Amino acid sequence: MMKKHIALVALVCAAGTAAMAQDQVLNIYSARHYATDEALYSNFTKATGIKLNRVDADDAGIVARLKAEGSASPADIILLVDASRLWRGEVDGLFLPIQSRVLDDAIPAQLRGKPTTNGAIPWFGFSTRARVIVYDKAHVKKEDVDTYEELGDPKNKGKLCIRSGSHPYNLSLFGAVTEHLGEAAAEQWLKGMVNNMARAPKGGDTDQIKAVASGECGVAVTNSYYLARLMRSSTPDDRTVVERVGVVFPNQASWGTHVNIAGGAVAKYSKNKANAIKFLEYLASPVAQEHFANGNNEWPAAKGVKINNPALQAMTGGSFKSETIPISVVGMNQVKVQQMLDRVGFK
């Protein structure tokens, strides 16, 4: 009789725990608007019973909303794209720095925010994307565009297409190059790129790739996952674009290719800190990291995760050398980069 009573108590407790989990909710403000991420969120709920409420907006909209809501904000998790945006969120005091052995072990130090005085981390990168160079295989030699520095070399005059210099993707790339070359040399490099433009900056990264394929430009800069999408597409027009362009992972003989991140943080006024940390730890897990790679063509940020994405493997031959400077420093450089862009007339 006693054993039956103990078993019944255990069953009731387990049911109660499950019910509590079902009642738990995390509110996510996300700038990741990728349809493939739906499975990422549903898998977390299936595994934990924690419901996810999501507000989708662009990065600027999320930051503006958090500032307007202040301490009344219901946000628990903030997901932003690009180191410059994460750094700005940190500076604006929107994040709650956390301590997690799981995250410290999984995410390399250069892909997370700078620790606070007590060792807490304000934000973590969970996926990476390389800033690569695409070129017209029929008219441009690969060896003429295999470094970022060559984008500003006179030999490429009239060939360059690129999106706005003030876009966060480019602010971060330029911030990284500034860290490598120093401010004076970086500004001369930016001026050289302005002189080399085939047209004024416009459009997004996919537009730059298509401009090279059409012959409007000889060389362009793009995040790797935009090219990977085209490579995995079955649309004839996309296949034609892919056939006409080559891709370079720059600076393999020096500091390595610039990589940026999509990352996350616990919101400063989160009411569910423990579960918010649990969600970030889930994003660093092998199953979530594989989803970033296979679902949205991003490289995993966590150590030791293997990928099975044919486009990413075809682009690199399996691996590439990436830069190792802290991504937090790249974000910090964005103010001085913007000032340089203004001086050289890079719109």
Side-chain angles (χ1 to χ4, degrees):
M1 187 69 177
M2 180 62 71
K3 289 183 179 180
K4 288 184 179 180
H5 177 71
I6 293 173
L8 180 60
V9 171
L11 182 62
V12 171
C13 289
T17 301
M20 286 176 62
Q22 290 294 341
D23 291 337
Q24 294 179 34
V25 173
L26 281 175
N27 297 312
I28 299 177
Y29 286 12
S30 176
R32 288 184 60 90
H33 33 262
Y34 310 122
T36 53
D37 279 1
E38 293 300 328
L40 192 69
Y41 301 126
S42 62
N43 287 343
F44 175 77
T45 297
K46 289 176 183 177
T48 64
I50 300 171
K51 181 182 177 182
L52 300 177
N53 291 331
R54 204 166 79 248
V55 172
D56 291 327
D58 61 21
D59 300 79
I62 287 172
V63 169
R65 178 167 179 162
L66 288 166
K67 288 180 178 178
E69 291 174 340
S71 60
S73 176
D76 296 302
I77 296 289
I78 304 167
L79 301 179
L80 299 176
V81 178
D82 198 272
S84 64
R85 290 159 169 161
L86 286 159
W87 177 80
R88 175 52 59 189
E90 176 188 349
V91 170
D92 288 344
L94 303 178
F95 305 153
L96 178 66
I98 61 171
Q99 293 179 313
S100 165
R101 177 63 63 86
V102 171
L103 292 172
D104 287 348
D105 289 345
I107 306 301
Q110 72 267 24
L111 298 181
R112 55 196 195 215
K114 186 178 180 180
T116 62
T117 53
N118 68 347
I121 306 296
W123 50 265
F124 294 84
F126 292 106
S127 62
T128 68
R129 54 279 299 272
R131 199 88 177 122
V132 299
I133 293 172
V134 294
Y135 64 97
D136 181 346
K137 291 191 293 186
H139 300 100
V140 175
K141 296 179 181 179
K142 182 177 181 178
E143 57 267 29
D144 285 341
V145 290
D146 59 2
T147 68
Y148 294 117
E149 296 98 303
E150 287 169 302
L151 296 176
D153 191 297
K155 67 184 174 184
N156 287 313
K157 188 172 180 62
K159 298 178 183 178
L160 177 64
C161 278
I162 193 168
R163 73 192 301 164
S164 169
S166 296
H167 190 277
Y169 295 166
N170 281 336
L171 286 178
S172 291
L173 169 62
F174 302 161
V177 173
T178 299
E179 196 66 19
H180 292 298
L181 297 181
E183 291 184 44
E187 184 164 333
Q188 285 303 115
W189 171 68
L190 291 171
K191 185 176 181 180
M193 280 199 287
V194 172
N195 293 336
N196 286 349
M197 288 182 186
R199 55 159 169 75
K202 65 177 182 178
D205 280 9
T206 302
D207 298 312
Q208 315 311 315
I209 301 170
K210 291 182 177 180
V212 171
S214 72
E216 182 180 8
C217 323
V219 60
V221 181
T222 179
N223 273 0
S224 51
Y225 72 94
Y226 291 102
L227 179 60
R229 285 179 188 171
L230 295 173
M231 293 172 70
R232 297 182 73 178
S233 172
S234 58
T235 303
D237 287 349
D238 291 342
R239 300 304 308 163
T240 298
V241 169
V242 170
E243 290 168 4
R244 291 180 177 173
V245 303
V247 59
V248 174
F249 281 70
N251 295 78
Q252 292 300 285
S254 57
W255 62 68
T257 298
H258 170 65
V259 294
N260 213 318
I261 60 170
V266 175
K268 182 176 182 178
Y269 298 107
S270 171
K271 313 303 187 295
N272 303 289
K273 179 181 175 182
N275 283 341
I277 293 174
K278 183 182 295 185
F279 178 76
L280 294 185
E281 291 176 343
Y282 161 75
L283 293 184
S285 69
V287 64
Q289 289 288 297
E290 289 168 7
H291 177 87
F292 287 131
N294 299 323
N296 197 49
N297 304 302
E298 300 169 273
W299 275 278
K303 304 169 188 174
V305 177
K306 295 182 179 180
I307 63 170
N308 186 29
N309 182 312
L312 296 182
Q313 291 172 332
M315 261 194 271
T316 64
S319 64
F320 67 97
K321 179 181 178 181
S322 60
E323 66 185 3
T324 58
I325 58 173
I327 201 77
S328 57
V329 173
V330 171
M332 291 168 62
N333 281 345
Q334 67 176 301
V335 175
K336 66 178 71 172
V337 167
Q338 186 61 66
Q339 293 169 344
M340 288 191 284
L341 292 174
D342 293 342
R343 287 196 292 268
V344 303
F346 197 141
K347 303 300 183 183

